[in-house]
């Protein structure tokens, strides 16, 4: 059912707990022609953060709402507060960390941006206006996710 959801162009999704929402809001402020959907836990949100007009923030939503919002978005942007990685069937822009470099090769299966890199994230989101680039990144990421799946990881260990 989720795969039938119509993707909204120029839309960016960010959800989760260990996200650098402050950086995301600064990026969104510089991209007024994009809509951003943010899903966060209310307990980690800072009231002093200025929310630009092009950002909708939702707190403590249902799983269905989270995934529906994710699948509606054309781009997944995950500015990280700590060293972690994630991948879905959307072109991914993620904070460059030692962990994400294990999964993301910049401009091959995703785009890496520096921690707190507002201008770099703005450029990366604009770069993804190129549909062929988005498709190439998603296709390569899909192959890489399968390669690094827990099942294939165990198979490689058993082969040793």
């Amino acid at each position: 059912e989720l795969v039938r959801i119509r993707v909204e162009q120029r839309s960016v999704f960010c959800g989760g707990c260990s996200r650098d929402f402050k950086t995301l809001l600064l990026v969104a402020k510089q991209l007024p022609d994009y809509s951003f959907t943010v899903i966060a836990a209310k307990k980690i949100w800072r009231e002093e953060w200025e929310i630009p007009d092009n950002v909708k923030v939702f707190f403590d939503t249902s799983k269905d709402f989270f995934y529906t919002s994710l699948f509606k978005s054309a781009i997944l942007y995950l500015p990280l507060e700590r060293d972690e990685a994630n991948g879905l069937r959307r072109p991914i822009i993620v904070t460059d960390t030692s962990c994400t470099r294990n999964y993301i090769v910049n401009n091959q299966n995703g785009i890496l941006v520096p921690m707190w890199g507002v201008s770099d994230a703005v450029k990366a989101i604009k770069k993804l206006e190129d549909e062929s680039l988005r498709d190439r990144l998603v296709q390569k990421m899909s192959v890489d996710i399968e390669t690094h799946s827990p099942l294939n990881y165990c198979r490689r260990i058993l082969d040793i």
Side-chain angles (χ1 to χ4, degrees):
E1 194 175 318
L2 288 173
V3 293
R4 294 186 202 148
I5 294 174
R6 186 171 170 267
V7 174
E8 298 170 2
Q9 295 305 311
R10 291 185 160 230
S11 61
V12 180
F13 176 86
C14 180
C17 292
S18 60
R19 306 294 176 244
D20 179 3
F21 292 114
K22 184 177 178 182
T23 297
L24 175 127
L25 294 171
L26 293 171
V27 168
K29 192 173 185 177
Q30 292 188 32
L31 293 168
D33 294 339
Y34 286 79
S35 64
F36 288 75
T37 299
V38 175
I39 297 179
K42 182 70 172 168
K43 66 182 179 181
I44 64 168
W45 194 261
R46 304 278 188 267
E47 291 298 323
E48 67 269 13
W49 289 342
E50 181 185 335
I51 303 171
D53 292 338
N54 60 329
V55 177
K56 292 179 183 169
V57 180
F58 301 93
F59 300 110
D60 307 317
T61 66
S62 70
K63 185 176 171 182
D64 286 342
F65 184 85
F66 184 96
Y67 283 110
T68 299
S69 299
L70 168 63
F71 275 79
K72 281 182 183 178
S73 298
I75 297 168
L76 174 63
Y77 173 42
L78 300 178
L80 302 178
E81 287 189 327
R82 61 179 192 233
D83 204 4
E84 68 174 57
N86 193 356
L88 296 170
R89 293 199 52 83
R90 293 287 184 271
I92 187 168
I93 301 166
V94 66
T95 302
D96 186 1
T97 66
S98 59
C99 184
T100 56
R101 275 181 250 121
N102 288 325
Y103 298 94
I104 306 295
V105 178
N106 196 35
N107 294 311
Q108 289 186 28
N109 63 353
I111 299 176
L112 296 170
V113 295
M115 200 167 288
W116 310 296
V118 173
S119 64
D120 293 287
V122 167
K123 288 176 194 169
I125 290 171
K126 286 182 177 181
K127 185 176 185 176
L128 288 175
E129 289 179 10
D130 179 346
E131 190 171 345
S132 65
L133 173 62
R134 288 196 315 265
D135 292 344
R136 184 173 53 82
L137 293 175
V138 167
Q139 179 60 36
K140 181 70 172 112
M141 177 56 82
S142 299
V143 171
D144 290 346
I145 287 171
E146 181 60 27
T147 300
H148 296 289
S149 73
L151 178 61
N152 283 328
Y153 177 75
C154 291
R155 285 180 179 150
R156 285 192 302 276
I157 289 173
L158 291 173
D159 287 344
I160 296 175

